């Protein structure tokens, strides 16, 4: 049977093949969901919302249930409808409830004709049954949630923050927080598929959403139609999220030269230096100065611009080159000893929910070492080799103190199964760098074809990619035809 599956995968990977001669399903197929007007502003009036009941604990399917919120905009041409396209969000801690009205409307009409666009809030995320750890305000700071070490490289404050977060989640997270994981999110999506009345489902997974799609492919390979994996996580079966954190050091290095070229371009009103070569030492020198002499920043969290806040701002701006000016303005202000207005953040209730889901997913997916020395050594090596990221990518999150052990082994990506996957990846992605995407490409084998964009930033398809890459993905979603082999879009 394994040999037959592999042979079919090899055949399906052939040039220009149409993947899946799937009989279209009526838009009113056996869905028993009750669709109502969605709550919120700025939504497409066609978008409707419903809830799907799923087990809190799949090991106890007849036990307590939770609700998964879903949203839908129907196919724009019922005669051309193929099925449902799940919009799988990044994170962990993201949702796609508004995506049928938002990013889904960027899809070409031939794709919107082919699919109902489906968004959802993963387990634990409002408006699904939600969790909240009741964290201290200081533990909601970006430079705490990502484990930036102290200016001298110490990890003691990180270990203490992780202990506070873990203890708060144990006190306030309830029973559900023990059952939030990537594999359970994939199981929830299969319940959504069934509730929609679909035999198979297509997916567009972005960033962490590629890992959720990987989990679905592991658990339910025969229930997938066309799968797009966009901005791809390293699927390391032992490290899981630890590998993603480590990837930031490579992602920053991949991106900084592009920022340096932009920041030294003549005519740039936010120009930092005369040459690109001068920008990196300028950044490192300023970060080191802010480590020693932070600038007060009222309204921010923390209420100072220190070296780690500057480094985090760098990473945030690298997600989209359109954000380079904000980073340059921050650098110019800090050089003068001033700061711009504090950046606006989400409401604290939203941040509490997002943080709880993120911590639970990361810590329930994979075991993290409990010995602080592991992180001390990792931070020291990372600081020496990758000074832009100051040791953060090899540091400890909340997981060494997490009160529960993972219930399952991490997702295991296999080359066995349908050859129905198209990967799309930017060469210079700060969060999911090309180096990690290539590991996923290798793990999937002939199940996948990969489009690599000569482009900078996160979110490749219809975002920061290329016209060539966008056309390849749109063609695949609309017709099932993939490139004959891995494609480079220059």
């Amino acid at each position: 049977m394994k040999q037959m599956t592999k042979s079919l995968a090899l055949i399906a990977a052939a040039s220009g093949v149409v993947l899946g001669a799937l009989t279209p399903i009526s838009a009113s197929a056996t869905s028993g969901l009750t669709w109502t007007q969605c709550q919120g502003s700025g939504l497409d009036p066609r978008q409707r919302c419903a809830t799907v009941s799923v087990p809190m604990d799949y090991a106890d399917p007849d036990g307590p249930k939770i609700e998964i919120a879903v949203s839908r905009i129907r196919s724009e041409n019922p005669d051309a409808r193929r099925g449902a396209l799940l919009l799988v969000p990044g994170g962990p801690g993201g949702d796609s409830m508004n995506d049928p009205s938002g990013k889904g409307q960027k899809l070409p009409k031939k794709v919107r004709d082919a699919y109902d666009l489906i968004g959802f809030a993963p387990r634990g995320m409002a408006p699904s049954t939600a969790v909240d750890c009741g964290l201290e305000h200081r533990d909601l700071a970006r430079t705490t949630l990502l484990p930036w070490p102290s200016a001298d490289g110490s990890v003691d404050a990180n270990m203490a923050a992780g202990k506070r977060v873990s203890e708060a989640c144990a006190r306030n997270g309830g029973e559900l927080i023990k059952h939030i994981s990537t594999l359970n999110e994939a199981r929830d999506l299969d319940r959504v598929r069934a509730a929609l009345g679909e035999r198979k489902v297509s997916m567009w997974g972005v960033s962490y959403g590629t890992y959720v799609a990987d989990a679905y492919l592991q658990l339910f390979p025969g229930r997938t139609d066309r799968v797009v994996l966009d901005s791809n996580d390293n699927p390391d079966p032992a490290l899981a999220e630890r590998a993603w954190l480590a990837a930031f050091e490579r992602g920053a290095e991949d991106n900084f030269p592009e920022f340096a070229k932009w920041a030294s371009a003549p005519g740039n009103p936010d120009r930092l230096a005369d040459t690109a070569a001068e920008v990196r030492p300028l950044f490192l020198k300023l970060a080191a100065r802010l480590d020693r002499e932070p600038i007060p920043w009222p309204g921010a969290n923390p209420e100072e611009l220190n070296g780690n806040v500057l480094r985090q701002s760098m990473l945030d701006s690298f997600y989209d080159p359109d954000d380079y000016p904000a980073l340059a303005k921050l650098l110019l202000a800090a050089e003068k000893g001033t700061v711009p207005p504090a950046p606006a953040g989400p409401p604290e209730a939203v941040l509490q929910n997002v943080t709880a889901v993120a911590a639970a997913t990361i810590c329930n997916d994979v075991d993290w070492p409990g010995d602080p020395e592991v992180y001390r050594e990792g931070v020291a090596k990372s600081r020496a080799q990758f000074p832009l990221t100051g040791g953060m990518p090899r540091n400890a999150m909340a997981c060494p103190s997490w009160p529960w052990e993972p219930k399952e082994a991490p997702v295991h990506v296999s080359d066995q199964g349908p050859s129905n996957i198209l990967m799309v990846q930017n060469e210079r992605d700060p969060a999911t760098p090309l180096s990690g995407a290539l590991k996923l490409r290798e793990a999937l084998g002939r199940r996948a074809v990969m489009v690599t964009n000569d482009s900078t930033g996160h979110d490749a398809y219809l975002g920061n990619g290329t016209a060539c890459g966008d056309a390849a993905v749109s063609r695949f979603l609309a017709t099932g035809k993939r490139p004959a082999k891995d494609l480079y879009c220059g």
Side-chain angles (χ1 to χ4, degrees):
M1 178 61 73
K2 282 187 177 181
Q3 184 59 44
M4 182 179 292
T5 301
K6 192 166 187 177
S7 298
L8 291 173
L10 291 172
I11 294 168
S15 171
V17 69
V18 178
L19 295 176
L22 188 69
T23 302
I25 300 171
S26 166
S28 60
T30 59
S31 169
L33 297 175
T34 301
W35 296 97
T36 61
Q37 190 71 35
C38 297
Q39 301 299 309
S41 59
L43 299 177
D44 189 303
R46 297 171 297 167
Q47 182 171 304
R48 293 293 182 270
C49 289
T51 58
V52 177
S53 180
V54 304
M56 178 186 296
D57 180 1
Y58 279 93
D60 182 17
D62 297 323
K65 301 294 191 291
I66 59 172
E67 299 298 318
I68 302 298
V70 297
S71 59
R72 179 180 71 179
I73 291 180
R74 288 181 182 268
S75 157
E76 296 182 14
N77 181 357
D79 291 338
R81 183 184 184 276
R82 180 179 179 84
L85 177 64
L86 284 180
L87 308 175
V88 189
D95 77 86
S96 59
M97 285 296 289
N98 294 342
D99 283 358
S101 293
K103 65 185 289 184
Q105 296 310 302
K106 296 180 181 179
L107 290 163
K109 189 175 188 305
K110 60 185 178 180
V111 178
R112 301 197 310 271
D113 286 347
Y115 300 100
D116 294 347
L117 304 179
I118 308 297
F120 68 100
R123 58 170 50 210
M125 290 292 303
S128 296
T129 305
V131 294
D132 185 321
C133 291
L135 301 180
E136 297 180 29
H137 180 70
R138 60 175 170 163
D139 290 331
L140 296 171
R142 287 279 285 154
T143 48
T144 302
L145 298 177
L146 284 179
W148 294 94
S150 299
D152 63 357
S154 170
V155 305
D156 293 346
N158 305 107
M159 300 300 291
K163 189 170 186 292
R164 289 195 305 271
V165 169
S166 295
E167 290 175 348
C169 289
R171 284 194 309 271
N172 305 318
E175 183 67 20
L176 174 55
I177 204 163
K178 304 175 187 177
H179 303 287
I180 294 174
S181 70
T182 299
L183 286 165
N184 279 342
E185 183 174 336
R187 294 181 178 106
D188 293 342
L189 288 184
D190 199 56
R191 295 295 181 109
V192 170
R193 175 203 59 77
L196 291 170
E198 302 290 340
R199 293 192 300 276
K200 295 186 177 185
V201 70
S202 293
M203 294 182 175
W204 173 17
V206 182
S207 193
Y208 167 68
T210 65
Y211 195 61
V212 176
D214 291 340
Y216 194 91
L217 288 161
Q218 172 186 325
L219 295 173
F220 312 107
R223 298 174 191 172
T224 58
D225 187 15
R226 297 167 182 166
V227 179
V228 173
L229 303 180
D230 175 354
S231 306
N232 298 269
D233 277 315
N234 181 348
D236 190 303
L239 297 178
E241 283 90 340
R242 288 186 66 204
W244 310 348
L245 188 65
F248 277 115
E249 59 192 20
R250 182 73 268 156
E253 293 291 342
D254 289 348
N255 278 261
F256 200 92
E258 296 299 308
F259 172 71
K261 284 189 289 186
W262 173 89
S264 58
N268 182 347
D270 300 310
R271 193 179 190 193
L272 297 175
D274 293 334
T275 67
E278 296 173 276
V279 177
R280 183 185 179 97
L282 180 154
F283 178 86
L284 293 172
K285 183 178 179 181
L286 181 57
R289 192 186 90 194
L290 292 172
D291 282 338
R292 299 187 305 270
E293 302 170 4
I295 302 171
W297 204 356
N301 186 16
E303 290 201 331
E304 64 179 28
L305 175 58
N306 57 41
N308 284 338
V309 172
L310 187 70
R311 297 178 185 102
Q312 182 63 59
S313 299
M314 172 198 68
L315 283 182
D316 291 343
S317 76
F318 285 179
Y319 277 64
D320 187 338
D322 288 346
D323 294 333
Y324 284 174
L327 176 60
K329 286 179 170 60
L330 181 61
L331 289 163
L332 290 168
E335 282 191 312
K336 299 174 184 176
T338 63
V339 290
E348 184 151 321
V350 173
L351 197 50
Q352 289 280 5
N353 182 216
V354 168
T355 303
V357 171
T361 306
I362 292 167
C363 299
N364 289 337
D365 271 4
V366 66
D367 194 27
W368 289 55
D371 183 359
E373 191 59 32
V374 172
Y375 305 104
R376 291 191 188 101
E377 291 179 0
V379 164
K381 291 178 181 178
S382 185
R383 281 163 65 90
Q385 296 173 356
F386 301 95
L388 289 173
T389 44
M392 178 276 291
R394 301 193 207 180
N395 204 357
M397 301 185 80
C399 306
S401 300
W402 197 245
W404 306 287
E405 294 293 323
K407 298 178 183 294
E408 301 179 272
V411 173
H412 178 71
V413 175
S414 169
D415 62 359
Q416 300 298 303
S419 183
N420 60 350
I421 301 164
L422 182 63
M423 299 172 61
V424 59
Q425 177 70 36
N426 288 344
E427 262 193 306
R428 297 171 295 280
D429 184 319
T432 57
L434 179 61
S435 54
L438 290 171
K439 294 183 183 299
L440 178 59
R441 175 69 187 88
E442 181 182 10
L444 288 169
R446 291 298 186 94
R447 297 182 69 184
V449 172
M450 182 166 167
V451 176
T452 303
N453 292 316
D454 177 10
S455 192
T456 302
H458 196 51
D459 292 351
Y461 179 48
L462 304 180
N464 289 311
T466 63
C468 160
D470 289 352
V473 177
S474 296
R475 180 172 182 255
F476 171 65
L477 285 173
T479 70
K481 293 181 180 179
R482 298 183 302 184
K485 58 183 179 180
D486 288 354
L487 174 67
Y488 184 79
C489 286

mmCIF file of all heavy atoms in Angstrom, residues 364-388:
data_model
loop_
_atom_site.group_PDB
_atom_site.id
_atom_site.type_symbol
_atom_site.label_atom_id
_atom_site.label_comp_id
_atom_site.label_asym_id
_atom_site.label_seq_id
_atom_site.Cartn_x
_atom_site.Cartn_y
_atom_site.Cartn_z
ATOM 1 N N ASN A 364 2.284 23.158 24.719
ATOM 2 C CA ASN A 364 1.631 21.849 24.631
ATOM 3 C C ASN A 364 2.089 21.047 23.418
ATOM 4 O O ASN A 364 1.912 19.831 23.378
ATOM 5 C CB ASN A 364 0.107 22.012 24.575
ATOM 6 C CG ASN A 364 -0.487 22.471 25.891
ATOM 7 O OD1 ASN A 364 0.100 22.294 26.955
ATOM 8 N ND2 ASN A 364 -1.661 23.092 25.826
ATOM 9 N N ASP A 365 2.667 21.730 22.417
ATOM 10 C CA ASP A 365 3.090 21.027 21.201
ATOM 11 C C ASP A 365 4.366 20.222 21.405
ATOM 12 O O ASP A 365 4.541 19.176 20.770
ATOM 13 C CB ASP A 365 3.318 22.039 20.074
ATOM 14 C CG ASP A 365 2.062 22.311 19.257
ATOM 15 O OD1 ASP A 365 0.994 21.782 19.596
ATOM 16 O OD2 ASP A 365 2.164 23.059 18.263
ATOM 17 N N VAL A 366 5.297 20.740 22.206
ATOM 18 C CA VAL A 366 6.612 20.103 22.291
ATOM 19 C C VAL A 366 7.226 20.399 23.657
ATOM 20 O O VAL A 366 6.982 21.460 24.244
ATOM 21 C CB VAL A 366 7.537 20.607 21.158
ATOM 22 C CG1 VAL A 366 7.871 22.078 21.308
ATOM 23 C CG2 VAL A 366 8.796 19.769 21.049
ATOM 24 N N ASP A 367 8.012 19.454 24.153
ATOM 25 C CA ASP A 367 8.689 19.616 25.440
ATOM 26 C C ASP A 367 9.911 20.514 25.276
ATOM 27 O O ASP A 367 10.665 20.385 24.307
ATOM 28 C CB ASP A 367 9.105 18.242 25.971
ATOM 29 C CG ASP A 367 9.511 18.274 27.431
ATOM 30 O OD1 ASP A 367 9.022 19.157 28.157
ATOM 31 O OD2 ASP A 367 10.327 17.431 27.834
ATOM 32 N N TRP A 368 10.094 21.449 26.198
ATOM 33 C CA TRP A 368 11.255 22.337 26.220
ATOM 34 C C TRP A 368 12.152 21.955 27.388
ATOM 35 O O TRP A 368 11.658 21.567 28.450
ATOM 36 C CB TRP A 368 10.812 23.796 26.395
ATOM 37 C CG TRP A 368 10.127 24.400 25.198
ATOM 38 C CD1 TRP A 368 9.038 23.920 24.545
ATOM 39 C CD2 TRP A 368 10.498 25.607 24.530
ATOM 40 N NE1 TRP A 368 8.692 24.750 23.510
ATOM 41 C CE2 TRP A 368 9.567 25.798 23.477
ATOM 42 C CE3 TRP A 368 11.507 26.540 24.725
ATOM 43 C CZ2 TRP A 368 9.635 26.894 22.619
ATOM 44 C CZ3 TRP A 368 11.570 27.640 23.869
ATOM 45 C CH2 TRP A 368 10.648 27.802 22.828
ATOM 46 N N PRO A 369 13.476 22.060 27.236
ATOM 47 C CA PRO A 369 14.367 21.734 28.363
ATOM 48 C C PRO A 369 14.062 22.610 29.579
ATOM 49 O O PRO A 369 13.745 23.797 29.445
ATOM 50 C CB PRO A 369 15.759 22.041 27.806
ATOM 51 C CG PRO A 369 15.611 21.983 26.328
ATOM 52 C CD PRO A 369 14.228 22.448 26.027
ATOM 53 N N GLY A 370 14.171 22.021 30.754
ATOM 54 C CA GLY A 370 13.931 22.772 31.981
ATOM 55 C C GLY A 370 15.173 23.389 32.583
ATOM 56 O O GLY A 370 15.080 24.227 33.486
ATOM 57 N N ASP A 371 16.355 23.009 32.100
ATOM 58 C CA ASP A 371 17.618 23.468 32.681
ATOM 59 C C ASP A 371 17.977 24.841 32.117
ATOM 60 O O ASP A 371 18.207 24.982 30.896
ATOM 61 C CB ASP A 371 18.715 22.457 32.352
ATOM 62 C CG ASP A 371 20.058 22.815 32.982
ATOM 63 O OD1 ASP A 371 20.152 23.861 33.659
ATOM 64 O OD2 ASP A 371 21.015 22.037 32.792
ATOM 65 N N PRO A 372 18.082 25.883 32.946
ATOM 66 C CA PRO A 372 18.442 27.213 32.438
ATOM 67 C C PRO A 372 19.779 27.242 31.710
ATOM 68 O O PRO A 372 19.983 28.099 30.845
ATOM 69 C CB PRO A 372 18.486 28.078 33.709
ATOM 70 C CG PRO A 372 17.673 27.348 34.718
ATOM 71 C CD PRO A 372 17.830 25.895 34.402
ATOM 72 N N GLU A 373 20.661 26.316 32.041
ATOM 73 C CA GLU A 373 21.978 26.330 31.408
ATOM 74 C C GLU A 373 21.890 26.100 29.904
ATOM 75 O O GLU A 373 22.721 26.612 29.134
ATOM 76 C CB GLU A 373 22.875 25.269 32.051
ATOM 77 C CG GLU A 373 24.349 25.366 31.650
ATOM 78 C CD GLU A 373 24.968 26.711 32.005
ATOM 79 O OE1 GLU A 373 24.554 27.324 33.017
ATOM 80 O OE2 GLU A 373 25.854 27.161 31.244
ATOM 81 N N VAL A 374 20.884 25.329 29.467
ATOM 82 C CA VAL A 374 20.683 25.120 28.031
ATOM 83 C C VAL A 374 20.492 26.463 27.327
ATOM 84 O O VAL A 374 21.063 26.716 26.254
ATOM 85 C CB VAL A 374 19.460 24.209 27.785
ATOM 86 C CG1 VAL A 374 19.122 24.137 26.303
ATOM 87 C CG2 VAL A 374 19.714 22.812 28.343
ATOM 88 N N TYR A 375 19.718 27.328 27.949
ATOM 89 C CA TYR A 375 19.415 28.621 27.342
ATOM 90 C C TYR A 375 20.580 29.598 27.503
ATOM 91 O O TYR A 375 20.838 30.402 26.600
ATOM 92 C CB TYR A 375 18.114 29.165 27.929
ATOM 93 C CG TYR A 375 16.993 28.172 27.783
ATOM 94 C CD1 TYR A 375 16.548 27.413 28.869
ATOM 95 C CD2 TYR A 375 16.419 27.924 26.530
ATOM 96 C CE1 TYR A 375 15.547 26.470 28.718
ATOM 97 C CE2 TYR A 375 15.413 26.981 26.376
ATOM 98 C CZ TYR A 375 14.987 26.249 27.475
ATOM 99 O OH TYR A 375 13.998 25.297 27.320
ATOM 100 N N ARG A 376 21.276 29.530 28.609
ATOM 101 C CA ARG A 376 22.456 30.395 28.784
ATOM 102 C C ARG A 376 23.472 30.126 27.685
ATOM 103 O O ARG A 376 24.011 31.043 27.068
ATOM 104 C CB ARG A 376 23.089 30.170 30.163
ATOM 105 C CG ARG A 376 22.257 30.652 31.329
ATOM 106 C CD ARG A 376 23.056 30.646 32.628
ATOM 107 N NE ARG A 376 22.193 30.941 33.766
ATOM 108 C CZ ARG A 376 21.699 30.053 34.601
ATOM 109 N NH1 ARG A 376 22.006 28.766 34.457
ATOM 110 N NH2 ARG A 376 20.917 30.418 35.591
ATOM 111 N N GLU A 377 23.729 28.855 27.433
ATOM 112 C CA GLU A 377 24.704 28.496 26.406
ATOM 113 C C GLU A 377 24.207 28.901 25.018
ATOM 114 O O GLU A 377 24.971 29.422 24.197
ATOM 115 C CB GLU A 377 24.979 26.992 26.448
ATOM 116 C CG GLU A 377 25.727 26.542 27.696
ATOM 117 C CD GLU A 377 25.963 25.044 27.720
ATOM 118 O OE1 GLU A 377 25.533 24.360 26.754
ATOM 119 O OE2 GLU A 377 26.557 24.551 28.697
ATOM 120 N N GLY A 378 22.925 28.649 24.751
ATOM 121 C CA GLY A 378 22.368 28.998 23.452
ATOM 122 C C GLY A 378 22.383 30.491 23.198
ATOM 123 O O GLY A 378 22.735 30.949 22.102
ATOM 124 N N VAL A 379 22.025 31.276 24.216
ATOM 125 C CA VAL A 379 22.012 32.729 24.071
ATOM 126 C C VAL A 379 23.417 33.253 23.808
ATOM 127 O O VAL A 379 23.627 34.116 22.938
ATOM 128 C CB VAL A 379 21.390 33.384 25.321
ATOM 129 C CG1 VAL A 379 21.710 34.871 25.385
ATOM 130 C CG2 VAL A 379 19.885 33.165 25.342
ATOM 131 N N ALA A 380 24.400 32.739 24.539
ATOM 132 C CA ALA A 380 25.782 33.207 24.363
ATOM 133 C C ALA A 380 26.272 32.932 22.941
ATOM 134 O O ALA A 380 26.890 33.799 22.307
ATOM 135 C CB ALA A 380 26.696 32.537 25.387
ATOM 136 N N LYS A 381 25.994 31.741 22.422
ATOM 137 C CA LYS A 381 26.420 31.412 21.059
ATOM 138 C C LYS A 381 25.698 32.266 20.023
ATOM 139 O O LYS A 381 26.300 32.754 19.057
ATOM 140 C CB LYS A 381 26.183 29.925 20.786
ATOM 141 C CG LYS A 381 27.104 29.004 21.566
ATOM 142 C CD LYS A 381 26.780 27.538 21.274
ATOM 143 C CE LYS A 381 27.681 26.608 22.082
ATOM 144 N NZ LYS A 381 27.351 25.172 21.845
ATOM 145 N N SER A 382 24.397 32.457 20.226
ATOM 146 C CA SER A 382 23.618 33.237 19.276
ATOM 147 C C SER A 382 24.051 34.698 19.261
ATOM 148 O O SER A 382 24.156 35.322 18.197
ATOM 149 C CB SER A 382 22.124 33.133 19.609
ATOM 150 O OG SER A 382 21.339 33.781 18.642
ATOM 151 N N ARG A 383 24.325 35.267 20.443
ATOM 152 C CA ARG A 383 24.768 36.665 20.514
ATOM 153 C C ARG A 383 26.089 36.868 19.769
ATOM 154 O O ARG A 383 26.305 37.896 19.134
ATOM 155 C CB ARG A 383 24.922 37.090 21.983
ATOM 156 C CG ARG A 383 23.609 37.422 22.659
ATOM 157 C CD ARG A 383 23.751 37.424 24.180
ATOM 158 N NE ARG A 383 24.636 38.469 24.677
ATOM 159 C CZ ARG A 383 24.232 39.702 25.019
ATOM 160 N NH1 ARG A 383 22.960 40.033 24.907
ATOM 161 N NH2 ARG A 383 25.096 40.578 25.496
ATOM 162 N N ALA A 384 26.945 35.856 19.830
ATOM 163 C CA ALA A 384 28.233 35.967 19.153
ATOM 164 C C ALA A 384 28.101 35.836 17.639
ATOM 165 O O ALA A 384 28.751 36.556 16.878
ATOM 166 C CB ALA A 384 29.187 34.896 19.689
ATOM 167 N N GLN A 385 27.231 34.934 17.199
ATOM 168 C CA GLN A 385 27.122 34.653 15.769
ATOM 169 C C GLN A 385 26.127 35.564 15.061
ATOM 170 O O GLN A 385 26.286 35.859 13.865
ATOM 171 C CB GLN A 385 26.702 33.194 15.560
ATOM 172 C CG GLN A 385 27.723 32.179 16.064
ATOM 173 C CD GLN A 385 27.185 30.750 16.002
ATOM 174 O OE1 GLN A 385 26.034 30.526 15.652
ATOM 175 N NE2 GLN A 385 28.021 29.798 16.339
ATOM 176 N N PHE A 386 25.092 35.988 15.763
ATOM 177 C CA PHE A 386 23.998 36.750 15.161
ATOM 178 C C PHE A 386 23.663 37.963 16.035
ATOM 179 O O PHE A 386 22.624 37.990 16.703
ATOM 180 C CB PHE A 386 22.756 35.867 14.998
ATOM 181 C CG PHE A 386 22.970 34.646 14.147
ATOM 182 C CD1 PHE A 386 23.276 33.422 14.742
ATOM 183 C CD2 PHE A 386 22.869 34.716 12.776
ATOM 184 C CE1 PHE A 386 23.472 32.296 13.964
ATOM 185 C CE2 PHE A 386 23.065 33.591 11.983
ATOM 186 C CZ PHE A 386 23.373 32.376 12.583
ATOM 187 N N PRO A 387 24.518 38.965 16.049
ATOM 188 C CA PRO A 387 24.325 40.081 16.986
ATOM 189 C C PRO A 387 23.053 40.881 16.754
ATOM 190 O O PRO A 387 22.570 41.536 17.690
ATOM 191 C CB PRO A 387 25.573 40.940 16.766
ATOM 192 C CG PRO A 387 26.109 40.544 15.442
ATOM 193 C CD PRO A 387 25.768 39.100 15.275
ATOM 194 N N LEU A 388 22.469 40.850 15.555
ATOM 195 C CA LEU A 388 21.249 41.613 15.317
ATOM 196 C C LEU A 388 20.124 41.197 16.246
ATOM 197 O O LEU A 388 19.318 42.039 16.662
ATOM 198 C CB LEU A 388 20.788 41.439 13.858
ATOM 199 C CG LEU A 388 21.622 42.106 12.771
ATOM 200 C CD1 LEU A 388 21.109 41.684 11.396
ATOM 201 C CD2 LEU A 388 21.587 43.623 12.911
#
